[in-house]
Amino acid sequence: MHFFDPNGHDWGNYYQLDGWGIFQIVFAVLYTILVLGLSGVLWTWRSHPVIRMRRVPLAIAAVLVLQVYVVMVMLAYSWNGRYPCSAEFWIMSIYLPIGIGLFQASNQQLLRISRGQQLVLTQDTYKTIPSGKNRREYYWNAFIIWARSVREQHDYEGFLAVGMVAQLTISIVIFMISRRFNSYGIVSQPTTPALCRRGWEWAPSIIWQAAWNYIAGPYLLYKIRMIHDIYHWRLQTTLAILAGLPGTPIWLAAIYSDSLFTVNKYWIPPLWLVVPGLITMQMASLLGPIRQCLGLSRDMKAKDKALAEFDNKTTTVADPDTSVTATSVTTRSSRGNMFTFQSLEECLNHGPDFTGFYHWCANKAFNSENVKFCDKVIKFKHEWTRVFSPPNQGLENARLIMYRAALEIYLGLVDDDTSYNTINIEGPIKRNLRTLFADAARTIASRRREPPTAVSAVSPWETPAPFGNGHALRRLSRPSLDKGSSTTGLISDRDEDADWVDPNDPFTDITVPEGFDETCFDAAMASVKHMLWQQPWQEFMRNRRASAGAAASASALA
């Protein structure tokens, strides 16, 4: 048996199982195993902060849809003439464009995350939950909310949906009227399998691929050109998009040019789309985040080992007569190349590095919601102490007002259904918070109809935030109990208690849970602080130290 049969892919009604055909079958099987294995690893790590922001279900769906196409192309040579022209028409006109569309939607996630981080910096807002008296009203409200989010966030999703529907409609019409695919058409004539692939019927597929590869892709590259993240996400997206550019022109040349007839006998035209384009796109989507996750896990293990060794040394050399514990000594020590947890806490308490760290997390690490959460909780606890300190500890409605403030934090940063950027905390901690706030959050978020408005990006009591049908938390911006103070507080004077009653207030039917107190966010904050300290804080401080060293060297040279 020859590795390359002299006849090659000749459209004969038999299977072409020469060495090249068998190689493609084996490659398709092994490559499918690799893609499924990497997809499984990615799905297993979907809760990791680095993986979680990438919309793993969409990314895996795009990869698997494209993988089916890759396998079918790899098997086309060995199938020879048994591969129907009508089947290839549906694959090229519907299946492949949908796969590339899903891939482009997955690529858009970098832009979505970057824009979402800017929203964290500038606004306090949350999503509206759809509601309705019946199923029809519920789905209509859900559609309105989705359309509003697409418009406000400048997403491609609306264009993707419209484009896919148009492509499906046009393809069905062409298939029904062309005699190349059926006997009841009204245009064209039946022809050979090879010439069937050259008809005008393939124009929508060509236009659709060109739109994805040469309009949507470069436009996305232009929009993300200023993003400089620490995960090399922009590099992965750029590589994946550029890999898809050469395939379509070469595929068209292979189909319509007779000079490539000999090449087409062994390298069928659709293979130009698969190698290197689709394979590179798949590997960039899978290996990029997995490599980043492996690197972070390796760094965390090294850091934990270094900390354990340092703690053991600190405990050994500590003076047994001193009243300072080993833990406190370790906290104040340099810990080698690790920056201390205490330095992070000082920063979060509005130290000199707070603003720089906040913006660095938004622009490079894409986790500024964690810094914002810590800042809000710190101010919430401070306000709780002020409100419930004598002589105000018995003030009516104080717990309800504080519950409102806590609910604002939960809606904007914790709840998966209402948060645009959700903090990453453990399941048990989130379940405990859901017990305290979920019912009230659903009630509040489902009653709001107007789009969210921009308010304070730091604490909910500095600027009223919208609840219900435009009713703000007016108490959150009332003067302090101290009439001589110019500060802003949560609770106004007792004399204004009567003015607090609002018949349209969405909180009218809500009772404060018994377990609600100033410690409700402590576990979540401890988890978020630990995550910030492990990676973002270390990266930020190392970058700042490197910048300072470079500036000092430049000054010395000058």
Side-chain angles (χ1 to χ4, degrees):
M1 181 183 67
H2 299 285
F3 187 80
F4 291 106
D5 189 286
N7 296 324
H9 188 271
D10 58 359
W11 305 103
N13 192 24
Y14 58 89
Y15 294 108
Q16 182 57 275
L17 296 178
D18 58 2
W20 177 235
I22 294 175
F23 171 79
Q24 291 190 61
I25 293 173
V26 173
F27 180 85
V29 172
L30 295 179
Y31 183 66
T32 300
I33 294 173
L34 174 64
V35 169
L36 293 177
L38 293 176
S39 299
V41 172
L42 189 61
W43 181 260
T44 301
W45 287 349
R46 66 189 182 278
S47 298
H48 193 286
V50 176
I51 302 294
R52 183 170 171 263
M53 70 176 72
R54 293 177 181 256
R55 294 179 75 180
V56 171
L58 179 60
I60 292 180
V63 167
L64 295 183
V65 168
L66 292 178
Q67 178 60 22
V68 173
Y69 176 78
V70 170
V71 172
M72 297 185 74
V73 171
M74 288 291 180
L75 298 179
Y77 176 85
S78 58
W79 284 355
N80 208 5
R82 294 177 178 271
Y83 207 120
C85 181
S86 58
E88 186 168 344
F89 172 80
W90 285 115
I91 292 171
M92 297 300 296
S93 299
I94 300 297
Y95 192 83
L96 178 60
I98 288 178
I100 296 178
L102 290 174
F103 176 78
Q104 294 289 4
S106 177
N107 282 339
Q108 187 202 0
Q109 184 64 7
L110 172 59
L111 184 60
R112 289 169 58 101
I113 289 293
S114 179
R115 285 174 170 169
Q117 290 298 311
Q118 299 309 308
L119 190 68
V120 173
L121 291 177
T122 58
Q123 295 185 12
D124 275 335
T125 187
Y126 56 90
K127 300 176 185 177
T128 301
I129 298 177
S131 62
K133 298 178 181 178
N134 50 55
R135 186 170 294 182
R136 179 181 178 183
E137 182 180 350
Y138 174 86
Y139 286 115
W140 173 251
N141 289 334
F143 173 77
I144 294 298
I145 293 171
W146 172 80
R148 181 190 300 156
S149 68
V150 169
R151 182 182 69 253
E152 293 173 352
Q153 300 183 50
H154 307 285
D155 286 342
Y156 297 158
E157 293 177 355
F159 299 104
L160 296 179
V162 172
M164 288 180 181
V165 171
Q167 174 76 3
L168 177 61
T169 303
I170 294 172
S171 299
I172 292 175
V173 171
I174 291 177
F175 184 86
M176 298 296 290
I177 67 175
S178 177
R179 292 195 184 98
R180 295 193 175 193
F181 308 121
N182 54 68
S183 59
Y184 48 81
I186 59 175
V187 297
S188 300
Q189 296 296 330
T191 184
T192 63
L195 294 178
C196 179
R197 271 79 173 175
R198 293 189 176 188
W200 63 269
E201 293 86 351
W202 301 86
S205 175
I206 298 172
I207 294 173
W208 194 242
Q209 291 184 55
W212 285 129
N213 291 327
Y214 301 105
I215 298 178
Y219 177 74
L220 180 60
L221 290 181
Y222 172 77
K223 299 298 289 186
I224 66 174
R225 69 191 186 284
M226 301 304 293
I227 298 176
H228 302 283
D229 61 287
I230 63 174
Y231 310 113
H232 307 293
W233 194 351
R234 190 189 67 165
L235 175 63
Q236 298 157 21
T237 302
T238 302
L239 178 63
I241 292 176
L242 293 180
L245 295 180
T248 300
I250 302 177
W251 170 68
L252 290 175
I255 291 178
Y256 293 99
S257 175
D258 294 332
S259 61
L260 294 177
F261 174 78
T262 303
V263 176
N264 292 344
K265 290 175 61 176
Y266 302 100
W267 190 277
I268 63 173
L271 270 177
W272 293 110
L273 300 175
V274 172
V275 182
L278 296 185
I279 290 180
T280 303
M281 291 160 62
Q282 289 178 304
M283 290 297 101
S285 299
L286 294 174
L287 292 179
I290 290 177
R291 176 183 174 277
Q292 185 68 34
C293 199
L294 287 173
L296 290 176
S297 299
R298 185 169 56 251
D299 290 345
M300 288 302 102
K301 289 180 180 179
K303 290 174 183 177
D304 290 341
K305 181 179 179 180
L307 292 178
E309 292 176 353
F310 187 88
D311 289 343
N312 291 335
K313 293 178 181 179
T314 304
T315 304
T316 302
V317 301
D319 185 355
D321 296 330
T322 182
S323 59
V324 180
T325 62
T327 302
S328 62
V329 171
T330 304
T331 302
R332 289 166 172 78
S333 302
S334 62
R335 293 191 172 193
N337 294 326
M338 293 287 291
F339 295 93
T340 64
F341 193 84
Q342 183 186 9
S343 64
L344 171 63
E345 290 189 316
E346 291 174 353
C347 171
L348 294 177
N349 281 283
H350 282 261
D353 296 321
F354 177 80
T355 302
F357 182 52
Y358 191 17
H359 285 265
W360 186 88
C361 286
N363 297 323
K364 293 184 177 294
F366 300 148
N367 56 8
S368 61
E369 65 275 3
N370 295 315
V371 180
K372 186 175 186 177
F373 174 79
C374 291
D375 184 59
K376 280 179 170 288
V377 172
I378 290 172
K379 293 190 174 183
F380 168 80
K381 293 172 73 70
H382 173 76
E383 196 70 13
W384 182 287
T385 301
R386 188 191 67 82
V387 167
F388 288 98
S389 297
N392 310 315
Q393 55 190 1
L395 194 61
E396 297 179 9
N397 293 334
R399 293 188 77 246
L400 178 59
I401 303 303
M402 292 305 303
Y403 186 69
R404 290 174 181 236
L407 185 59
E408 178 79 7
I409 299 174
Y410 179 83
L411 282 167
L413 296 168
V414 180
D415 187 62
D416 293 324
D417 295 327
T418 61
S419 302
Y420 286 101
N421 298 274
T422 309
I423 61 173
N424 193 72
I425 55 177
E426 293 83 351
I429 298 176
K430 181 165 288 190
R431 283 193 294 271
N432 292 337
L433 292 175
R434 192 178 295 124
T435 301
L436 290 176
F437 299 107
D439 292 339
R442 178 162 294 276
T443 299
I444 297 299
S446 63
R447 290 181 182 179
R448 186 179 61 176
R449 290 291 177 264
E450 73 280 359
T453 56
V455 294
S456 170
V458 180
S459 62
W461 38 81
E462 293 178 353
T463 307
F467 274 94
N469 297 317
H471 296 281
L473 295 182
R474 293 179 298 152
R475 266 73 66 200
L476 298 186
S477 58
R478 290 297 184 86
S480 171
L481 281 165
D482 182 2
K483 291 184 179 293
S485 173
S486 60
T487 59
T488 298
L490 284 174
I491 309 298
S492 64
D493 293 322
R494 294 174 185 261
D495 296 338
E496 294 183 326
D497 284 355
D499 183 50
W500 288 14
V501 179
D502 186 347
N504 297 316
D505 193 332
F507 270 85
T508 302
D509 301 328
I510 293 176
T511 58
V512 180
E514 293 183 0
F516 173 70
D517 56 26
E518 75 277 14
T519 65
C520 59
F521 291 116
D522 283 3
M525 187 171 179
S527 176
V528 168
K529 278 185 177 180
H530 182 70
M531 186 183 67
L532 285 173
W533 174 74
Q534 278 191 319
Q535 202 256 339
W537 180 244
Q538 307 302 324
E539 291 283 347
F540 170 74
M541 293 298 288
R542 279 196 290 267
N543 288 344
R544 197 186 69 163
R545 176 179 287 179
S547 299
S553 299
S555 300
L557 293 175

